[in-house]
Amino acid sequence: MVVSNARAERGVSGAADGTPLWREDREHASRRPALPGNITADVAIVGAGFTGLWAAYYLLQADPTLKVVLLEREYAGFGASGRNGGWASSIFPVSLGRVEQLYSHRAALDLQAAMNETVGEIGDVVAAEKIDCEYSRDGFVSLARSQAQWARAKATVDGAEKFGTHGQWQLLDADAAREKVNAAGVLGGIYTEHCALLHPDKLVRGLAGWVEERGGVIYEDTAVDEIGKGIVWTRHGSVTASVVIRATEAFTPEFPEYRRNVAPLYSLVVATAPLPDEVRLELGLDGRTAFNDMRNLRIYAHPTNDGRLVFGGRGAPYHFRSKVHPSFDVDEKIHEKIIDTMHEFFPTLKDVPITHRWGGPLGVPRDWFPSVGYDQNNKMAWAGPYVGDGVATSNLAGRILRNLILDKRDDLNSLPVVNHHSPKWEVEPFRWFGVNAGLRAAATADLEERVTNKPSKVSALLEKLTGAH
């Protein structure tokens, strides 16, 4: 078989090991020391990703005298915080209709308002603390590239207005949508201002540096073996604390007592070489607008600050017994599908080299509903998982954790994510069958829509069953 030059370039020069684009300039950086032995702290945080770092930031900002310790098995930002697509968006993984069913209409509106506000809060923090993470708030456009997607776009805007989130989405005709992103086959789209792009690893580094400058300590290469009531055990020693925050996202099932709390799903990403200026201008990729289309199996993309195109998506299989392993970060079959999808959007990019392929696990609760909580009696707090929408939601979680732990009154404390308890996932092998069947159903829904040109009945059933959208 003859392989075209474009296909051969998919071999990903220098990055086939799954190294995220964001980490390219720090792969050989020295790590922080491991926990040196038994210590005490006011707050011990298990996990030094966005949740742990935002919690430490807001706690130390509110009370600089606190002794805050973060324990990280690898290095700060190793997990989803350093592998994501770089969107800080107001997307909540569960539909507002489902939030209303579980809580109230007012609670759903308050939650969406808080998510919108969080996008700006992140921008305010990085500006105030001079964290250069390439934050750019140009919004998010979801393109309609089929009749079924166009029908869903109009229904989304109409539904949002009727629900009471006035102005949350703006309906775009074909010309207006192509002005945002000039992809192939665009019939229209929807746009929201409540999304920003950023360089996730630079945000991790900026937050970590701020925390350390204020007296917080981050111990890397320190795997936590067990979490108890006010104590965390590692092979290097233990940390006894007034409060322990579990911020373990997709790695939560590695603790036996939480094995069925979270299902890790893999999201995979590619990045192109920097695009020529004229190509970026022609395709509408000369700004910093996040985008996808309205298919059921989620994709996400954006132009980076240095002119690349980052393009990612779901579809990688769930692994039996919630297994997470670095070998899953690159999946040739799924990465090829993502590249093919990118080329469907932009046929002129077929000759542009793919320089990076990577991936990583994200955490999914049984009802797809993120949560933040604090059990004072057991000295335990937690936040997540976020179903892939954690760049912004982790900031909201960090502020709520500060409020709950320091007993600070705040309207955020009454949001429906606070002390929400998701049901546990089914035991294996039912979990494996169910999760992978759901992934296949989403792909089937997209196929159904291509055939019928109508919104998928399979998709409607999935949303009814899960509440996800």
Side-chain angles (χ1 to χ4, degrees):
M1 181 178 66
V2 178
V3 180
S4 70
N5 290 335
R7 198 76 175 180
E9 285 169 337
R10 293 182 178 187
V12 192
S13 58
D17 63 344
T19 301
L21 169 68
W22 320 119
R23 299 215 184 119
E24 197 170 51
D25 61 347
R26 82 159 192 175
E27 276 302 298
H28 302 293
S30 60
R31 296 197 186 189
R32 297 172 175 87
L35 180 69
N38 298 335
I39 64 170
T40 60
D42 295 307
V43 181
I45 303 175
V46 182
F50 281 144
T51 298
L53 291 169
W54 280 122
Y57 172 85
Y58 286 110
L59 284 166
L60 288 168
Q61 185 188 58
D63 185 352
T65 68
L66 290 173
K67 183 177 181 181
V68 178
V69 169
L70 295 93
L71 304 172
E72 172 57 49
R73 184 176 68 181
E74 300 288 343
Y75 54 84
F78 172 81
S81 301
R83 299 171 186 273
N84 60 77
W87 292 26
S89 81
S90 65
I91 296 171
F92 192 74
V94 172
S95 69
L96 293 185
R98 177 57 64 92
V99 177
E100 180 184 36
Q101 288 175 1
L102 295 174
Y103 292 93
S104 70
H105 187 75
R106 181 73 259 164
L109 292 176
D110 289 345
L111 177 60
Q112 187 61 69
M115 291 298 302
N116 293 348
E117 180 269 337
T118 294
V119 178
E121 168 69 11
I122 295 171
D124 291 343
V125 171
V126 300
E129 309 300 351
K130 296 180 173 57
I131 298 174
D132 181 13
C133 63
E134 302 170 13
Y135 178 95
S136 178
R137 186 172 177 175
D138 284 356
F140 155 50
V141 60
S142 190
L143 302 171
R145 300 176 59 244
S146 70
Q147 289 298 334
Q149 291 183 14
W150 178 233
R152 187 153 53 249
K154 291 184 285 188
T156 297
V157 175
D158 184 57
E161 291 299 314
K162 288 180 178 177
F163 196 86
T165 53
H166 304 297
Q168 183 72 26
W169 293 104
Q170 175 187 348
L171 188 67
L172 306 177
D173 63 19
D175 289 339
R178 282 193 293 264
E179 284 184 13
K180 297 286 187 185
V181 177
N182 190 19
V186 171
L187 303 178
I190 58 175
Y191 171 79
T192 180
E193 65 177 306
H194 302 298
C195 181
L197 295 175
L198 52 81
H199 187 302
D201 195 60
K202 288 184 178 181
L203 179 55
V204 164
R205 283 180 269 174
L207 289 173
W210 188 97
V211 166
E212 290 175 315
E213 288 173 4
R214 271 66 177 185
V217 182
I218 302 171
Y219 294 111
E220 297 181 333
D221 290 317
T222 303
V224 171
D225 299 319
E226 188 178 351
I227 303 172
K229 185 177 180 179
I231 188 167
V232 177
W233 289 277
T234 82
R235 68 180 180 86
H236 300 286
S238 63
V239 181
T240 303
S242 301
V243 182
V244 174
I245 299 175
R246 176 170 53 80
T248 48
E249 186 60 13
F251 300 92
T252 301
E254 297 186 8
F255 297 96
E257 63 269 39
Y258 303 116
R259 182 158 290 150
R260 291 172 54 200
N261 287 39
V262 174
L265 293 184
Y266 273 76
S267 191
L268 305 182
V269 197
V270 301
T272 69
L275 306 178
D277 289 346
E278 61 272 18
V279 173
R280 296 176 62 206
L281 184 62
E282 175 192 350
L283 299 179
L285 302 178
D286 52 327
R288 297 295 310 285
T289 301
F291 67 95
N292 66 6
D293 69 5
M294 301 200 71
R295 68 186 62 206
N296 297 289
L297 192 60
R298 184 184 290 188
I299 59 169
Y300 48 91
H302 79 267
T304 65
N305 203 43
D306 63 350
R308 301 172 187 268
L309 178 60
V310 167
F311 207 104
R314 308 281 173 85
Y318 163 81
H319 299 278
F320 193 72
R321 291 179 63 83
S322 296
K323 186 176 181 181
V324 170
H325 193 272
S327 64
F328 304 151
D329 293 349
V330 174
D331 184 311
E332 186 69 28
K333 180 179 177 181
I334 302 302
H335 273 114
E336 286 296 326
K337 286 184 177 180
I338 290 170
I339 294 169
D340 287 341
T341 301
M342 181 178 69
H343 292 162
E344 289 173 11
F345 270 68
F346 307 110
T348 57
L349 298 186
K350 286 185 177 179
D351 293 328
V352 175
I354 302 298
T355 59
H356 296 76
R357 294 180 304 169
W358 73 93
L362 55 92
V364 182
R366 180 61 180 83
D367 59 359
W368 293 65
F369 205 116
S371 65
V372 186
Y374 177 38
D375 181 349
Q376 190 169 8
N377 291 332
N378 287 314
K379 302 181 179 181
M380 173 67 71
W382 74 90
Y386 306 111
V387 199
D389 294 313
V391 177
T393 315
S394 60
N395 172 277
L396 177 61
R399 286 179 283 148
I400 293 172
L401 286 169
R402 170 203 60 196
N403 297 342
L404 300 179
I405 291 169
L406 300 182
D407 197 22
K408 181 180 184 299
R409 292 186 178 182
D410 193 312
D411 289 342
L412 298 180
N413 301 355
S414 61
L415 292 176
V417 294
V418 178
N419 290 316
H420 173 85
H421 290 277
S422 299
K424 292 184 182 296
W425 282 98
E426 291 76 6
V427 297
E428 297 289 18
F430 302 106
R431 180 160 74 250
W432 184 88
F433 281 117
V435 175
N436 285 318
L439 291 171
R440 285 193 293 271
T444 299
D446 289 323
L447 176 60
E448 176 192 351
E449 292 186 348
R450 286 196 293 271
V451 172
T452 66
N453 268 328
K454 297 178 181 179
S456 168
K457 295 180 180 178
V458 172
S459 174
L461 178 60
L462 270 178
E463 182 169 343
K464 185 175 181 180
L465 289 173
T466 66
H469 66 121

